[in-house]
Amino acid sequence: MLDKLTAGSPPFTALVQQLTQIVGQTSILYDADELLVYECDGYIVDKAAPDIVIFPISTEQVSAIVKICNQFNVPFLARGAGTSLSGGCLPIGGGVMIVLTKMKSILEINLRDRYAIVEPGMVNLHLTNALKGTGYHYAPDPSSQGSCTIGGNIATNSGGPHTLKYGVTTNHVLGLEAVLPDGTIIELGGPTAETPGYDLHGLYVGNEGTFGICTKAIVRLTRDPEAHRTMLAVFQTIADATRAISTIIAAGIIPSALEMMDHGIIQAVEEAFHFGFPLDAGAVLLIEVDGLEIALDEEVRQILEICESCNVREIQRADTPEERQLIWKSRKQAFGAIGRLSPSYCTQDGVVPRTRLPEILDFIQETEKRYDIRIVNVFHAGDGNVHPILLFDERDQEQIQKVLEASEAILEKCLELGGSVTGEHGIGVEKINFMSRIFNETDLATMETVRNIFNPRQICSRDKVLPPHQADEKSGVVQSHPARRAPH
């Protein structure tokens, strides 16, 4: 059993003193008012403050911190920018939070071999900006690209608008360095595309912090496409827009991005940024194709014909890099505009087959009415990854309960339609109750065995992803139980 820290107690004071010796007095927090900043990530429904927050600047410091946590038998977890939307940064049971934002350097860019080595606190967009003009880019681009970190992207196997063509984070990580939960430093993979033996760095990506702490990443660089064509298609109804999505993919066209925003998001974005969106539109599709210049005009012609057959109202084309940037700005800043609609929101992350998009969106609209809460949608339509955004006021407990119940209903519907409960946000604590609905006991036991190889004491990022276990007092049978309150 891991120990619970008590502020001001002799063990707490001794722990603070030893940690301070590693990072210095200015890189550690333990006053209650300072810790409130770290009580949740982007998933604000559940909150728990850590007992200590510490800011290392090197792998060696991370290793030393982890070893001291083991010595004092206290839990710990890593945090980047805190943009997780599933409670991945929630310090269940308190303990030490290791914030990696000071480890933000680009250690190497190798264009000849097409890789870069970065620290985990490197903001995704900062790597993109560093590569401008080189002819190469780092493909994963989550919607929170301007603030999320590479380490966090690796933890949750993040996607983004260009996932449809270029793949998710795991497709672009060649190797990494990590500190295991006992403080051991390991290296997995390497700068070459293929390495012998088991794909351990592939196994590591998406572990949501439960295998240890990534301290360096070797990421693949992708050659910039020769040309882009970017369009904004305006539809009167969501049904027409989703029909266009399925028809485009069925025609054998794989856009580099295929994003959808519904009426509610259109209104919020237009009010905030004045992009010129028609406020009476039911939905807009952001469609982008890229590749060889000679091939793009034919793809665009086919897309325009498909959109016309699906009752498109109008199509705006970006004829200059500035116009393309403006269209993408409207998509990337959509979440920032939601504050105009509601003081709080919860973003879901379900996945359905593309052909079932009309059904899940109809169900989301029904759920909105059933629970009397407002839901808006902006999502990666090309790969069926829906992001219904449930609006509420976190000061109202009744609204919080409605959001939890509505979220569960939407995710259950995703499963019913042959999909999943997460595409890129991860399980964290938010969806931990769903794991036993998706996987059988053998599946979960196998996952637990793998986790325990890396994290046998469960001292690192405890009670995430897999349901915890407890022995029934009467029967002695080990049973699963939820890590957080049930939605009902």
Side-chain angles (χ1 to χ4, degrees), residues 221-341:
L221 301 184
T222 301
R223 184 179 288 278
D224 292 344
E226 182 179 304
H228 300 87
R229 297 288 189 276
T230 308
M231 298 156 279
L232 202 64
V234 181
F235 293 86
Q236 191 66 34
T237 68
I238 289 178
D240 287 338
T242 54
R243 189 156 53 91
I245 293 164
S246 295
T247 309
I248 289 170
I249 302 299
I253 302 168
I254 304 297
S256 57
L258 185 50
E259 301 285 295
M260 179 175 145
M261 294 185 285
D262 75 356
H263 177 71
I265 285 290
I266 292 169
Q267 288 188 316
V269 169
E270 183 60 23
E271 182 181 348
F273 304 112
H274 309 292
F275 288 116
F277 290 154
L279 295 178
D280 60 341
V284 298
L285 293 183
L286 193 168
I287 309 168
E288 183 167 278
V289 291
D290 65 20
L292 297 175
E293 179 75 47
I294 194 171
L296 293 187
D297 287 341
E298 174 59 22
E299 285 195 343
V300 169
R301 184 192 66 77
Q302 293 180 59
I303 289 171
L304 294 178
E305 285 185 358
I306 289 169
C307 289
E308 290 289 347
S309 72
C310 295
N311 304 318
V312 69
R313 269 179 39 175
E314 62 175 297
I315 296 180
Q316 303 173 17
R317 297 179 59 172
D319 296 321
T320 66
E322 291 75 23
E323 290 178 353
R324 175 178 179 252
Q325 184 178 11
L326 188 63
I327 288 178
W328 271 112
K329 186 178 181 181
S330 71
R331 168 61 181 93
K332 294 282 187 174
Q333 295 189 354
F335 280 89
I338 295 172
R340 292 176 173 267
L341 303 178

Side-chain angles (χ1 to χ4, degrees), residues 58-190:
S58 69
T59 300
E60 292 69 29
Q61 285 192 353
V62 173
S63 176
I65 291 165
V66 168
K67 288 178 179 177
I68 289 175
C69 289
N70 276 269
Q71 177 187 332
F72 280 81
N73 199 39
V74 297
F76 62 89
L77 80 167
R79 176 184 169 114
T83 57
S84 166
L85 291 165
S86 62
C89 300
L90 193 71
I92 296 174
V96 177
M97 178 177 283
I98 303 171
V99 180
L100 301 168
T101 49
K102 288 188 175 182
M103 298 175 62
K104 57 183 179 180
S105 298
I106 298 175
L107 303 176
E108 181 184 353
I109 291 178
N110 186 323
L111 299 179
R112 288 176 62 88
D113 292 323
R114 301 189 184 185
Y115 70 82
I117 302 177
V118 301
E119 292 184 314
M122 162 65 59
V123 172
N124 184 296
L125 183 62
H126 293 177
L127 178 58
T128 296
N129 291 337
L131 291 167
K132 282 183 177 178
T134 66
Y136 293 87
H137 68 286
Y138 177 60
D141 62 337
S143 297
S144 57
Q145 186 183 23
S147 54
C148 67
T149 61
I150 299 291
N153 297 164
I154 289 172
T156 58
N157 193 21
S158 298
H162 289 91
T163 292
L164 178 61
K165 182 174 182 178
Y166 290 99
V168 292
T169 296
T170 192
N171 303 117
H172 300 274
V173 175
L174 297 170
L176 52 86
E177 174 189 82
V179 174
L180 294 180
D182 66 356
T184 304
I185 300 171
I186 63 169
E187 293 183 358
L188 304 174

Side-chain angles (χ1 to χ4, degrees), residues 10-25 28 30 52 54 68 72:
F12 180 87
T13 302
L15 176 59
V16 168
Q17 288 175 344
Q18 290 200 32
L19 292 175
T20 302
Q21 289 176 5
I22 297 171
V23 298
Q25 187 62 53
I28 186 169
Y30 45 87
I52 297 170
I54 190 165
I68 289 175
F72 280 81

Side-chain angles (χ1 to χ4, degrees), residues 418-440:
S420 173
V421 297
T422 181
E424 57 180 338
H425 294 175
I427 296 297
V429 298
E430 178 200 13
K431 300 183 178 77
I432 205 165
N433 292 329
F434 276 93
M435 291 297 280
S436 58
R437 307 183 201 184
I438 304 171
F439 301 104
N440 60 35

